Amino acid sequence: MTTPVRLRDVTLRDGLQLTGQLLDARTKVGLARFLLGAGIDELEIGAMARPDLVPPMANTVEVIEALTPEERQRCWVWTATPRGIARAVAAGAQNVQYCLSVSDAHNRANVGRATTQSMAALPEAIDIAALGGARVQLTLATAFTCPYRGAVDPQHVVNLVSDNRTAGISSVVLCDTLGQATPDQVRQLVSRVHEVAPEHEIVFHGHDTWGLGVANTMAAIQAGAAVVDGALGGLGGCPFAPGASGNTSTEDLLFALQPAWLTPSVFSDVVTAGAQILARLGEPNRSRAAEGARSTADVFPWVT
């Protein structure tokens, strides 16, 4: 790729949230440090979600507190309310996501309120983060399709991003929550958002439900996305998005993008780490690059 792009691994948040298993904080912190040390630009490390609804996120505060300030600079914490942001910032988070759904039906299912209510609370969330010296990223779930209402009008996304209340955010995440978007749809939406809000970085968060995770991510980059999301082994999914599968695989994105820091040896280490965490969770490995790395074509340098 000729355009610089950052990769964010979301294994510790979006990846874990559907597994039903609470990994201990020490394991989470160890994986975070491995990924950061390997060269991954940024991470999602947890969520300020109710532990009774999303048990794997119950020890997020402990994870935040265990990381160094330098590590936290490259880590994001998911929230959906000003109170969640206050808790994350109090624990030491320097980057917080404020999530709402473009689809009102999904927002009600996901965070228990209308999209308009979530937007109304955004200025308070930004103020709380600013007092704690943290950045806010506006995360727009169901930016393409909704599991309850179907296709989402791109104009709804544009209206939210161009709303005056988003003035204090640092970036915006466009989520293909169900993995039903096509590369052309991704390219068009990222381009429109880039036009109406050029001051905000665009993050593309894709799922691989229909096998287009990598293709959609490449389309997003070509249209101006500065950051793209992936999870080890394609782990993940939304508990309130029936029909969605895991995230686009971090391993697949690494192989497609091949950033300057990535060597076959580092790639092998990431593939191994992904396989180990998935085996521990009892989850299938959906990464095609990880499968390719295990092939017998040993003259290809990326085979591990």
Side-chain angles (χ1 to χ4, degrees), residues 138-195:
L138 178 62
T139 299
L140 297 179
T142 61
F144 296 89
T145 56
C146 166
Y148 310 110
R149 297 290 184 268
V152 171
D153 186 346
Q155 188 60 44
H156 293 335
V157 177
V158 172
N159 292 344
L160 290 171
V161 173
S162 57
D163 190 294
N164 290 335
R165 291 170 291 186
T166 68
I169 66 172
S170 66
S171 49
V172 59
V173 187
L174 301 178
C175 302
D176 181 18
T177 305
L178 300 178
Q180 295 172 339
T182 64
D184 190 53
Q185 291 170 331
V186 171
R187 189 178 297 108
Q188 289 187 39
L189 185 58
V190 171
S191 296
R192 288 190 65 184
V193 171
H194 189 62
E195 289 172 2

Side-chain angles (χ1 to χ4, degrees), residues 123-145:
E124 180 186 359
I126 292 172
D127 288 344
I128 291 171
L131 286 173
R135 294 186 299 167
V136 176
Q137 185 175 78
L138 178 62
T139 299
L140 297 179
T142 61
F144 296 89
T145 56

Side-chain angles (χ1 to χ4, degrees), residues 207-223:
H207 285 248
D208 200 34
T209 312
W210 286 75
L212 291 177
V214 172
N216 286 340
T217 299
M218 301 301 273
I221 295 169
Q222 292 164 0

Side-chain angles (χ1 to χ4, degrees), residues 253-300:
L253 291 177
L254 281 175
F255 182 69
L257 295 170
Q258 295 191 19
W261 54 264
L262 187 69
T263 64
S265 176
V266 171
F267 181 69
S268 175
D269 290 342
V270 173
V271 168
T272 299
Q276 289 174 343
I277 196 70
L278 290 164
R280 177 167 177 169
L281 294 166
E283 295 284 339
N285 193 329
R286 302 182 180 94
S287 168
R288 299 303 300 272
E291 181 181 347
R294 295 190 296 269
S295 77
T296 57
D298 55 8
V299 295
F300 189 50

Side-chain angles (χ1 to χ4, degrees), residues 36-157:
L36 293 173
I40 301 294
D41 301 285
E42 302 176 11
L43 306 177
E44 273 187 354
I45 56 169
M48 295 292 105
R50 284 174 48 181
D52 59 324
L53 296 179
V54 192
M57 298 295 103
N59 56 2
T60 294
V61 167
E62 188 179 351
V63 173
I64 299 170
E65 293 175 340
L67 295 170
T68 68
E70 292 75 21
E71 290 166 338
R72 293 173 195 157
Q73 288 178 359
R74 295 165 63 188
C75 295
W76 293 86
V77 178
W78 185 99
T79 73
T81 64
R83 181 174 178 270
I85 284 186
R87 291 178 56 220
V89 171
Q94 299 177 34
N95 303 299
V96 289
Q97 298 162 292
Y98 182 83
C99 183
L100 57 89
S101 301
V102 181
S103 160
D104 189 70
H106 186 264
N107 205 64
R108 291 179 184 276
N110 195 33
V111 298
R113 61 188 64 86
T115 300
T116 54
Q117 292 175 295
S118 289
M119 276 299 291
L122 177 58
E124 180 186 359
I126 292 172
D127 288 344
I128 291 171
L131 286 173
R135 294 186 299 167
V136 176
Q137 185 175 78
L138 178 62
T139 299
L140 297 179
T142 61
F144 296 89
T145 56
C146 166
Y148 310 110
R149 297 290 184 268
V152 171
D153 186 346
Q155 188 60 44
H156 293 335
V157 177

